[in-house]
Amino acid sequence: MDFKKELNDRINYIEEIINNNLIDENSKKDDLQYQIYEAMNYSVMSGGKRLRPMLLLETSRLFGGADEDTFPFMTAIELIHTYSLVHDDLEAMDNDEYRRGKKTTHAVYGEAMGVLCGDALLNYAFEIGLDGIKKASDKNLAIDSLSILSEKAGVFGMIGGQVVDIKNDGKKIDINTLDYINELKTGALIEAAMTMGATLAGASKEEITLVNECASMIGQAFQIQDDILDVTSTTEVLGKPVLSDEKNNKSTYVNLLGIEEAGNKVEELSNHAIERLKSLGRENEFLFILIEKLINRNK
């Protein structure tokens, strides 16, 4: 497999699906609230790996699901991920000026519009998800999937992790607390992506539970690698400021474990997740390689 080509093909495929679901700002230029459409589209289409919609799509394919059933949910999860980044970058949070190599939303449109843009993306995600339920070939599976997304994105998931992170801002924390934060803050949406894909494809409860466990490992590995890149990469490669964790006096896997042990942990978690997924006896070579590549990514 030419993985790089396959990856680019999927990114383009997903970009087209997301773009088709965004508000057409060109047709809304006479609207008094036009700037919010512009800010939303700027935030979503500023690049990115599209990892979460890709994991959703490929997990659905792992279980023989139809691509079209995933379209609204791929868009919804990417909008929610984007809103979380828009809010993370605000002055009250991480106060970052660059994201994905471009100015952050609040740096371009102002802090107030940054807040409203994040709010708008979150609401619009659920508009798209609800519309997806109406059009779904199996409405019950679609309802279950949107329910997964709402829980994983909320106080029992991503928001909950962000709360614990903020409460411990500037404090030294132990590895168990760091695991808890990242299980929710980073892992929850990755878990949502993969369990939604399995759910939409009609996987059994046992299979969905296993997928969620694997996704939890993948999410943790992804965050550890992010911590490593924060101290080993450059702003030009990463597309956002490096050493931001050090600047913000944050506890990370690197300063708790050291770079070598943190790297070993990434490999261990990723390999275990792949082995568990392969134990299902289903084939999706691209998905397995994608997870492996998380170990060696440089941005």
Side-chain angles (χ1 to χ4, degrees):
M1 174 187 288
D2 184 344
F3 179 78
K4 189 172 182 180
K5 179 182 181 303
E6 293 289 335
L7 178 64
N8 287 333
D9 287 347
R10 280 164 174 79
I11 291 173
N12 292 334
Y13 182 59
I14 292 166
E15 293 272 349
E16 183 177 0
I17 291 162
I18 293 171
N19 193 49
N20 287 341
N21 280 295
L22 294 178
I23 297 167
D24 181 8
E25 62 182 85
N26 292 322
S27 68
K28 302 280 188 181
K29 288 194 173 180
D30 293 332
D31 287 8
L32 293 179
Q33 69 267 38
Y34 168 75
Q35 192 176 54
I36 194 66
Y37 310 142
E38 187 179 63
M40 290 167 71
N41 290 351
Y42 174 84
S43 304
V44 176
M45 301 311 291
S46 290
K49 306 175 199 61
R50 308 305 187 198
L51 175 64
R52 289 148 194 85
M54 195 178 299
L55 286 171
L56 194 160
L57 175 66
E58 295 303 325
T59 306
S60 173
R61 288 175 171 177
L62 181 70
F63 291 96
D67 280 12
E68 56 267 25
D69 287 337
T70 69
F71 291 171
F73 302 101
M74 282 198 290
T75 303
I77 199 168
E78 188 66 9
L79 295 189
I80 288 175
H81 172 59
T82 303
Y83 114 75
S84 75
L85 300 181
V86 171
H87 279 184
D88 271 356
D89 291 334
L90 291 170
E91 292 177 22
M93 303 284 274
D94 292 343
N95 193 22
D96 283 329
E97 192 176 352
Y98 286 92
R99 168 77 63 177
R100 297 166 174 169
K102 296 183 179 180
K103 288 275 191 178
T104 52
T105 304
H106 77 271
V108 174
Y109 295 97
E111 187 172 14
M113 193 59 66
V115 172
L116 290 171
C117 178
D119 294 344
L121 288 169
L122 174 60
N123 281 276
Y124 195 51
F126 283 100
E127 287 183 48
I128 291 171
L130 288 166
D131 189 55
I133 290 172
K134 294 175 187 176
K135 298 174 181 176
S137 56
D138 189 318
K139 288 181 172 53
N140 287 330
L141 295 181
I143 290 169
D144 288 346
S145 295
L146 193 61
S147 178
I148 290 167
L149 181 58
S150 64
E151 181 177 340
K152 297 286 189 182
V155 294
F156 300 109
M158 182 180 68
I159 294 294
Q162 188 71 283
V163 168
V164 180
D165 190 25
I166 289 171
K167 281 183 64 179
N168 288 281
D169 191 30
K171 300 177 183 176
K172 288 188 176 181
I173 58 175
D174 59 29
I175 193 74
N176 291 331
T177 305
L178 186 60
D179 282 344
Y180 184 87
I181 290 169
N182 292 319
E183 165 72 18
L184 299 181
K185 185 179 173 182
T186 303
L189 280 194
I190 290 176
E191 292 168 21
M194 296 187 71
T195 53
M196 288 167 73
T199 299
L200 288 166
S204 69
K205 287 183 179 180
E206 293 76 17
E207 289 170 326
I208 292 169
T209 298
L210 187 147
V211 166
N212 189 73
E213 291 170 358
C214 294
S216 176
M217 293 180 229
I218 293 164
Q220 188 181 6
F222 188 86
Q223 181 59 53
I224 298 172
Q225 184 66 8
D226 206 51
D227 288 355
I228 292 170
L229 292 175
D230 188 63
V231 297
T232 61
S233 189
T234 64
T235 299
E236 291 73 24
V237 172
L238 207 54
K240 61 180 181 179
V242 295
L243 301 175
S244 59
D245 293 328
E246 182 180 327
K247 178 187 74 175
N248 295 321
N249 197 28
K250 282 192 171 185
S251 293
T252 69
Y253 288 102
V254 171
N255 58 40
L256 288 179
L257 299 176
I259 287 182
E260 185 176 354
E261 189 176 343
N264 291 338
K265 190 74 172 172
V266 173
E267 188 168 3
E268 175 190 333
L269 287 164
S270 301
N271 289 339
H272 192 43
I274 294 167
E275 288 171 10
R276 294 278 284 151
L277 282 176
K278 287 183 175 179
S279 74
L280 291 167
R282 297 174 178 271
E283 285 300 320
N284 184 334
E285 184 184 5
F286 177 84
L287 176 61
F288 301 147
I289 296 175
L290 175 65
I291 296 167
E292 288 175 359
K293 292 293 183 181
L294 293 177
I295 301 169
N296 299 313
R297 81 183 204 278
N298 61 3
K299 61 181 179 179

